[in-house]
Amino acid sequence: MTDPHAPALQLRGLTKIYGNTIAVGNLSLDIPRGSFYGVVGPNGAGKTTTLLMATGLLTPDRGTALVDGIDIWLNPQQAKPKLGVMPDGMRLFDRLSGPALVQYVGMLRGLDKETAATRTNALLHNLGLEDAGKKLVADYSQGMTKKIALACALVHRPAVLVLDEPFEAVDPVSAAGIREILNNFVSAGGTVVLSSHVMETVQKLCSHVAIIHHGQVLASGTTAQVAGEMSLDERFMQLVGGPNHTEGLEWLQQ
C-alpha cells in the first residue's frame, strides 16, 4: 500500500556516467504531490537523462526513483502504470493513424476497447487533432507529433505526468490548449513534471522548479522561492552563468 503523504516522485542519488562524462551525478529531488513542477537547465545539463531514469526508461548507474513511494526499478509493474511519459524525440508506432495509436496505447495500459476509444476521441478533440483522421502518424508535422504523444501519455489517466519539452514546435493556439489541459490535470490532483528551456513558460505555469546544471540540482523549491526578487530567467542566469560577450563577429554588423 502506497503512502498517501509520500511525494509523487522521489529521486534518490541518481547517477549516470558515459565514459569520462558524468551526465547526472548523485541527484536527489522530491516532487510534491499535486504540484506543477518545472525542471530547467542549459543544453547538456542532464535534464533529459534525469527524467529518463526517473521514469524507468534509462537504467541509472546508481540511485533509484520512487513513484508514489514505489521503487520503479524494484517494482516496475506497480510503478509504471502510475506514470504518463512524453520523452523528447521518443519513437512512436508511427505506421498507425493518430486515433488508432492512442486507442492502442490505452488498451496496452489496461483500458477496455470502448473506454480507450471514448478517451481517445475526447483527447484528439481537445488537442485539435480531429481533422487528422486516418493520416499516419509518420506523416504528422513535428507539432502534431508532440500532441499525439501527449494524448498517449494521458489516455490511461496517470497520477504523474512527465513531459520533456512539451511546447517545442507547437503553435501558440495549440500551446494554450495544452496549458489548459495540464492546469486542469493538476487542479484535479494530478502531478506534472515538465522540462523546458523557456523560463517565461515555467514561471507562469509551474508552482515549483528545480534548476539543474552539470547533472546537479543548483536550486529547488517553489517557483517564488527559487526566483526570489528576480525573474526566473535572471535567477537562472545568475546560477548557471550568463552569456559571454561575443568577440570576433564584428563583420556581421552592417
Side-chain angles (χ1 to χ4, degrees):
M1 186 173 180
T2 60
D3 180 0
H5 302 295
L9 190 61
Q10 295 171 279
L11 313 183
R12 292 290 177 266
L14 287 178
T15 300
K16 192 67 181 179
I17 301 172
Y18 297 104
N20 295 322
T21 301
I22 301 175
V24 178
N26 198 33
L27 186 148
S28 295
L29 189 67
D30 283 350
I31 309 294
R33 193 182 301 268
S35 64
F36 203 137
Y37 208 107
V39 178
V40 300
N43 291 329
K47 303 186 303 297
T48 295
T49 302
T50 297
L51 295 183
L52 289 174
M53 291 190 290
T55 53
L57 295 174
L58 179 66
T59 306
D61 294 326
R62 290 192 300 275
T64 194
L66 294 89
V67 183
D68 274 352
I70 303 170
D71 191 311
I72 197 166
W73 295 102
L74 293 180
N75 300 292
Q77 291 184 327
Q78 290 178 272
K80 287 189 176 183
K82 296 175 177 290
L83 288 169
V85 185
M86 191 183 81
D88 189 32
M90 182 178 71
R91 289 295 302 271
L92 303 171
F93 296 108
D94 59 7
R95 304 310 297 178
L96 296 173
S97 68
L101 173 62
V102 180
Q103 184 172 339
Y104 175 60
V105 171
M107 293 173 69
L108 283 177
R109 289 292 196 177
L111 302 179
D112 62 76
K113 186 175 182 179
E114 183 177 350
T115 301
T118 300
R119 292 186 182 183
T120 295
N121 291 335
L123 284 165
L124 298 189
H125 171 73
N126 282 279
L127 288 167
L129 289 172
E130 285 179 310
D131 293 340
K134 295 183 179 180
K135 185 176 181 179
L136 297 182
V137 173
D139 297 324
Y140 277 14
S141 69
Q142 191 175 355
M144 291 170 68
T145 302
K146 281 278 185 181
K147 292 191 287 184
I148 205 69
L150 177 60
C152 290
L154 282 166
V155 67
H156 62 294
R157 195 171 60 187
V160 183
L161 192 60
V162 181
L163 311 174
D164 196 355
E165 299 289 352
F167 298 105
E168 193 173 59
V170 175
D171 66 83
V173 173
S174 296
I178 291 172
R179 285 194 295 270
E180 183 177 358
I181 290 170
L182 297 181
N183 280 323
N184 289 341
F185 178 81
V186 172
S187 296
T191 304
V192 172
V193 183
L194 172 152
S195 80
S196 177
H197 290 106
V198 184
M199 297 301 138
E200 184 180 3
T201 298
V202 172
Q203 187 152 23
K204 286 181 178 178
L205 272 180
C206 297
S207 59
H208 295 69
V209 67
I211 298 176
I212 294 178
H213 192 35
H214 296 313
Q216 301 281 334
V217 176
L218 300 186
S220 65
T222 67
T223 305
Q225 287 171 341
V226 172
E229 299 298 319
M230 308 177 185
S231 69
L232 186 60
D233 192 50
E234 291 169 336
R235 178 63 170 151
F236 178 84
M237 292 294 186
Q238 182 190 62
L239 288 171
V240 306
N244 296 320
H245 294 294
T246 57
E247 296 178 357
L249 295 178
E250 292 80 7
W251 51 272
L252 280 175
Q253 300 173 14
Q254 298 296 317

